[in-house]
Amino acid sequence: MASPSFGASFQSFGDPVPLGPVVISVPHGGRAYPSDLVAALRVPIAAVMGLEDRLIDRVGMAARGDEPMLVQHMPRAWIDLNRDERERDPLIDEGARMVPRASAKLRSGLGLVPRRVAGHGDIWMRRFTDAEIVQRIEADHRPYHHALAERLAAARTRFGVAVLLDLHSMPPLGAPGLVPRIVIGDRHGTTAATRFVRRIEAEARGGGFPVTRNAPYAGGHIVERHGDPRRGIHAIQLELDRSLYLDAALEAPGPGFDATVTLVRRILSALAAEALGQPAAMAAE
């Protein structure tokens, strides 16, 4: 196993020339809060920590085998890799055009640089200059997406197909057993062939985890940008209920951590098996 290498604001694990067809992305687990971010906050730092996919990087690290994996270590509050770089919010960004790429997320305050966080409202004391946001795009956003594209292209060249698993976590949606604990996002069938989604569903249900597709999370910019099934690159966003692997306070690893890691490991193996044309029985052995 290769030692980690570092990008501008992320770590890259595994061989950039993949040993299998699956690549892992962990864009929202970052916990390295720079002083410039802290100085601009109008809320306690604990408030913006609510934007994190809390410790999902540890699940990914424990679950991966030889798969290449990118892990962003700058926090989502600094820049959101799962947004188009044009999703700049004019309410906090002096360089944003007056009519930006107005996605629903941007209108709700969750653009390229988040403006709000649930339960706390607006999080910044000031607007950011165009130069500040451009620097984040060039230093943090573009290098991550470039590295991800390189690894997917290398996997497709070697195996004829590549599969991206974009790993996220979500707040509990309600009472366990009544709501999905896992949400698969493929942008309503546009970023991955259905056969890959079905393999994930089979693993989740086989482990007793309620699962659904595209509701309430259909996948964001990462799968939309990198998924291209016609060219043999399939991209899927996987949302895991945080209560599956964290403690009751949703802060530290909990009693379900190991079982969640096992599930993600099985999903990775199933995706690789599907990409290589192996039947489900072989993938389970």
Side-chain angles (χ1 to χ4, degrees):
M1 182 181 298
S3 59
S5 59
F6 292 82
S9 60
F10 62 90
Q11 286 180 271
S12 173
F13 298 88
D15 195 328
V17 179
L19 301 177
V22 179
V23 177
I24 309 167
S25 167
V26 186
H28 284 168
R31 298 182 293 278
Y33 288 86
S35 58
D36 288 351
L37 180 152
V38 176
L41 287 173
R42 68 162 63 220
V43 296
I45 192 169
V48 295
M49 289 173 64
L51 293 166
E52 297 175 10
D53 287 353
R54 184 69 176 169
L55 302 185
I56 193 63
D57 55 313
R58 295 192 187 178
V59 175
M61 282 297 302
R64 72 173 285 268
D66 293 324
E67 296 89 357
M69 182 169 75
L70 300 185
V71 178
Q72 173 75 348
H73 63 77
M74 293 291 276
R76 183 181 176 188
W78 179 255
I79 192 165
D80 190 339
L81 302 180
N82 207 24
R83 300 289 178 264
D84 190 298
E85 65 179 59
R86 296 169 293 180
E87 292 184 79
R88 297 173 61 172
D89 189 335
L91 294 178
I92 57 165
D93 179 350
E94 293 178 356
R97 293 179 294 175
M98 293 307 296
V99 185
R101 188 173 186 262
S103 66
K105 292 292 188 181
L106 176 55
R107 291 193 298 271
S108 68
L110 294 175
L112 181 68
V113 174
R115 171 171 48 88
R116 299 174 59 83
V117 65
H120 296 274
D122 291 344
I123 59 180
W124 304 113
M125 290 194 297
R126 64 177 179 87
R127 297 175 78 201
F128 298 104
T129 67
D130 177 61
E132 286 177 301
I133 302 301
V134 168
Q135 192 276 335
R136 297 183 198 184
I137 291 170
E138 293 179 346
D140 306 316
H141 193 278
R142 289 178 185 170
Y144 188 95
H145 283 279
H146 178 72
L148 193 54
E150 281 189 332
R151 283 150 181 76
L152 290 167
R156 184 190 57 188
T157 296
R158 185 169 185 179
F159 299 99
V161 63
V163 184
L164 169 62
L165 187 70
D166 193 41
L167 188 59
H168 295 255
S169 69
M170 61 186 182
L173 299 176
L178 301 178
V179 295
R181 312 294 298 283
I182 296 170
V183 179
I184 304 167
D186 65 354
R187 304 290 295 181
H188 303 284
T190 62
T191 65
T194 303
R195 60 193 178 98
F196 292 106
V197 174
R198 287 175 176 164
R199 289 293 281 260
I200 296 176
E201 288 175 331
E203 294 299 331
R205 290 174 178 147
F209 299 96
V211 60
T212 190
R213 297 187 199 180
N214 295 310
Y217 306 106
H221 175 64
I222 289 174
V223 296
E224 183 179 37
R225 174 172 177 165
H226 295 282
D228 191 348
R230 293 173 298 177
R231 295 177 55 245
I233 300 179
H234 305 265
I236 299 166
Q237 179 174 295
L238 186 68
E239 295 272 3
L240 302 176
D241 183 328
R242 287 172 201 149
S243 66
L244 290 175
Y245 66 93
L246 294 178
D247 60 12
L250 302 181
E251 293 182 355
F257 184 87
D258 290 344
T260 305
V261 168
T262 297
L263 171 65
V264 175
R265 180 63 252 161
R266 290 183 64 86
I267 287 172
L268 292 167
S269 296
L271 290 173
E274 185 63 37
L276 299 175
Q278 298 172 358
M282 290 183 62
E285 292 176 356

